[in-house]
Amino acid sequence: MASHSHSLGGPSRRQRVAPASRRWGHRRDAGATVTRRGFIGKGAAVLAGAAGVAAALSPLRHLSPNDIPTAEKFFQKHYKEMTPEDKQAVLERIEREVANRHCAIADVQAHEPLDGVEFLYALNLSRCIGCRKCVFACVKENNCSRGPEIQYIRVLKMEKGSIDVETSDHHYDPSQVPEHDSYYMPVQCHQCANPPCVKVCPVEATWQEPDGITVVDYDWCIGCRYCEAACPYWARRFNFAEPTIPRDELTTDMGYLSNRPRPKGVMEKCTFCLQRTRRGRLPACVEVCPTGSRKFGNVLDPDSEVAYILKHKRVFVFKEDLGTLPRFFYYFDERGSRYHEPIAPVAPGGEA
Amino acid sequence: MKRYFSFLWQCGRISFVGGWRYHTWMTVLTILSLIGLYAYCQQLVHGLVTTGMTDQVSWGLYIANFTFLVGMAAAAAMLVIPVYVYRNMQLYDVVVFGELLAVSVIIMCLMFVTVDLGRPDRFLHMLQRFNFPISMLTWDVLALTGYLLLNLHICGYLIYCSYCGREPSKAFYIPFVFIAIVWAISIHTVTAFLYVGLGGRPFWNSAIIAPRFLASAFAAGPAFIILTLQIVRRYTRHRVNDDSLLTLRRIVQVAMIINAFLLGCEVFTEFYTDSAHSASAHYLFLGLHGRSGLVPWIWTAIVFNLVATVLFVLPASRALRTLNIACILAVLGIWIEKGMGLIIPAFVPTPLGEIVEYVPTAHEIMVCVGIWAFGLLLYTVFVRISVPVLAGELTHEKRYGEPARRVQGVQSS
Ligand code: SF4
Ligand code: SF4
């Protein structure tokens, strides 16, 4: 650090510094010269060092004010420790932020899980045609970043006769779907009952709710991406940059643990649209699916469609060997699949 | 207390004093660190998009370097064990260099973890809701900070005693030395468990990772210390006898052989079984579906490691020049193997079979170089301070007891 460069210590500095030298009286003394020059050198080095540090820190002037945590944000409690009043204050703060940044009036709520409900998802592989309508509906509903693109659902085009995702095509783009000799397997968060992502989080920023939904507190996550490495279904997405959402496409019905806008540097994931499903609506992907491949409901209710599917269909879970116990089941139709010729009239109540 | 402050003051003072080589070296390191800081500030502003990481490959160079450095930190233990456990006093005078290396390396580790965080401003959340003992990352945080404190205490105490010119009292450091030895093993093991515990990543999910970590760490660490001692020997008046270097050589020798053996075991399991689970290994060693970004890296590492192993085994490496070459090859080889070779391939292909290659960006590299430079800067300062103090050239007595005499020897070194 102590450079001997004298370029910054011009003559005026020399005059100012020299009398301070303890050996002023012995100018001929070699040691004294070294000391004096050392002093100038030091001055120059300190200046150069300070300039260097200032230059190195200079990008920080572009830091957006939103990135600098206010005291309120800095001391915000973990979601599970918040009292109802705390929650109210935080929700109002978020509404203000949305108003400022997205010029929209949002209704942000902390939806509580419903008693006696455990959500379950079932997806009919015989019917899915790979149109990716669910992907778009999900992005829109959940206010996912459009640039860089964040999508919770990935639809894989699979080779017929194989369930190996390694031979799948993630970026199929034909003029028309479905294509011959392939089937489609959409993958999203499986809301595991034994979720590896929750286990690894060092700060408990992600956890499983009583209704089976694994959520992330975007105000608590430190962005270490350990959960992303742990998830076997590649269901987590990280905000590598500030997310962008077109102003007129914002979904203003928001949940604290789900689709409120996220800051950069935190993890996010599918939440089974809890802002909808905890109020009795269907997830956006289920609602939009044109083929009815997607089924959703409360598995604790024996009359629900998903309970029926679980009982009567040939269901399977993806990567069962990992012991994650997904709440997301795939199934095939025995009859009426788009791969078969239509069969004679279906017995009433026979096919879901 | 006053004496302690005078010690700190002297440490600070002396780190700015040295010959032109020292100054050039330090200036270069400072400039590199500042460039790294600059790149990091940009990362703070724009987010981690400035790096080459993606949702597919979500850990990159930062974690790779972190992993390698955790290994290096164990070097201290490899020096301490022979001295205190086997009373092999040849290494006694170099133990402190090993521990100082551990201190600077752990600081680098913590910096690498910090730059990898998306929200470093929330690090306090670690204290408020610490997911212990479930999350392996919390274990790692504890292990690393603990190891840092232990080593800081041990070498700080020894150096301070030397500065005061008194015998260190055994009760104040010997127990910590033994704790530190166990702790050194634990930091690797815990870091290995960080990866091993993830069932969704078959490349990591293998019990051999932790032993491989230990073996490679016990090779890279002492190899690095050999290099340091050669420099200390050459440019300062500190005496390092050949015997300590040769003892270290023996440690590296054995560790390199074990490391090569374990690597062989792993390669056999992956390729002979040839199950779908070996896709990552295929990608690493041979390339997968035409993508082969890591292939040149890993083969370079393997060649380096093999050449180094052969050199270490041959009597030729008793010649110090050959020894240096072997050490440099070993450190570089293990750096690639532990970093690029262990972290990145686990993400390729993704759990959904997508192949996205990872290429670090210039920003990311600048941050890494910056942290390395800062670490070297720290280590240089530590060595700079400890050499004259341990040699008894800079003591409280000499500095303040006899004000007439300046410590010329130190300045001209
Ligand atoms: S699918 Fe992944 S993100 Fe979803 S709960 Fe399971 S491990 Fe967590
Ligand atoms: S990225 Fe966030 S949610 Fe994921 S493990 Fe790290 S702190 Fe937890």
Side-chain angles (χ1 to χ4, degrees), chain A residues 197 200-203 205-206 216 221-227 236 267:
Chain A
C197 58
V200 299
C201 178
V203 294
T206 184
V216 181
C221 169
I222 57 172
C224 66
R225 307 189 298 295
Y226 197 9
C227 53
R236 298 190 150 243
M267 198 56 76

Side-chain angles (χ1 to χ4, degrees), chain A residues 190-250:
Chain A
H190 283 17
Q191 313 292 359
C192 311
N194 181 18
C197 58
V198 169
K199 212 156 62 173
V200 299
C201 178
V203 294
E204 290 181 53
T206 184
W207 65 89
Q208 201 180 161
E209 295 262 294
D211 55 0
I213 301 177
T214 293
V215 291
V216 181
D217 182 347
Y218 314 121
D219 287 349
W220 198 261
C221 169
I222 57 172
C224 66
R225 307 189 298 295
Y226 197 9
C227 53
E228 196 167 30
C231 172
Y233 303 101
W234 195 62
R236 298 190 150 243
R237 297 292 182 275
F238 185 69
N239 286 284
F240 283 92
E242 188 68 40
T244 53
I245 310 165
R247 197 170 285 175
D248 48 339
E249 287 179 28
L250 196 77

Side-chain angles (χ1 to χ4, degrees), chain B residues 96-205:
Chain B
V96 169
F97 293 113
E99 282 179 350
L100 290 172
L101 179 69
V103 171
S104 10
V105 164
I106 295 280
I107 292 175
M108 288 166 76
C109 284
L110 295 176
M111 292 173 78
F112 271 116
V113 177
T114 313
V115 296
D116 189 61
L117 292 184
R119 304 295 307 210
D121 52 317
R122 297 186 181 161
F123 73 98
L124 272 184
H125 292 181
M126 277 269 181
L127 304 179
Q128 286 161 294
R129 266 189 103 92
F130 200 54
N131 191 8
F132 186 81
I134 305 293
S135 169
M136 277 305 136
L137 203 53
T138 56
W139 281 76
D140 216 28
V141 169
L142 288 183
L144 290 178
T145 7
Y147 194 63
L148 176 63
L149 294 180
L150 278 171
N151 280 300
L152 262 184
H153 166 75
I154 298 170
C155 41
Y157 180 71
L158 290 179
I159 294 176
Y160 180 57
C161 282
S162 183
Y163 173 76
C164 300
R166 62 167 193 248
E167 267 300 287
S169 128
K170 286 215 154 53
F172 267 128
Y173 78 100
I174 294 285
F176 294 102
V177 166
F178 282 95
I179 300 177
I181 292 176
V182 180
W183 210 286
I185 313 270
S186 85
I187 59 169
H188 293 74
T189 315
V190 168
T191 308
F193 285 176
L194 209 67
Y195 310 115
V196 174
L198 304 181
R201 305 269 170 196
F203 184 70
W204 284 337
N205 196 359

Side-chain angles (χ1 to χ4, degrees), chain A residues 18-144:
Chain A
S21 163
R22 274 173 285 150
R23 309 213 178 173
W24 181 241
H26 308 271
R27 293 194 58 178
R28 293 285 181 78
D29 184 303
T33 321
V34 169
T35 314
R36 202 189 56 174
R37 293 173 76 206
F39 255 84
I40 299 163
K42 260 179 223 165
V46 168
L47 269 185
V53 172
L57 292 176
S58 63
L60 290 182
R61 68 183 188 276
H62 299 299
L63 209 58
S64 112
N66 297 313
D67 288 336
I68 301 164
T70 56
E72 189 187 358
K73 272 188 185 167
F74 192 78
F75 293 110
Q76 182 176 321
K77 287 192 206 140
H78 187 274
Y79 181 75
K80 288 195 199 168
E81 287 167 11
M82 287 182 199
T83 61
E85 297 80 59
D86 291 340
K87 272 187 194 164
Q88 203 45 47
V90 168
L91 297 179
E92 277 162 19
R93 193 205 82 218
I94 295 171
E95 281 171 2
R96 279 200 306 277
E97 279 173 11
V98 175
N100 284 339
R101 302 187 61 186
H102 301 276
C103 304
I105 313 234
D107 172 23
V108 188
Q109 290 190 29
H111 305 94
E112 296 298 328
L114 307 172
D115 277 338
V117 172
E118 181 174 344
F119 289 123
L120 194 121
Y121 211 112
L123 198 145
N124 189 341
L125 290 176
S126 310
R127 291 217 175 160
C128 173
I129 52 167
C131 64
R132 293 202 183 105
K133 281 208 174 358
C134 50
V135 179
F136 290 98
C138 169
V139 166
K140 168 87 178 53
E141 168 68 26
N142 288 300
N143 293 321
C144 293

Side-chain angles (χ1 to χ4, degrees), chain A residues 12 71 161 256 280 286:
Chain A
S12 62
Y256 178 92
V286 173

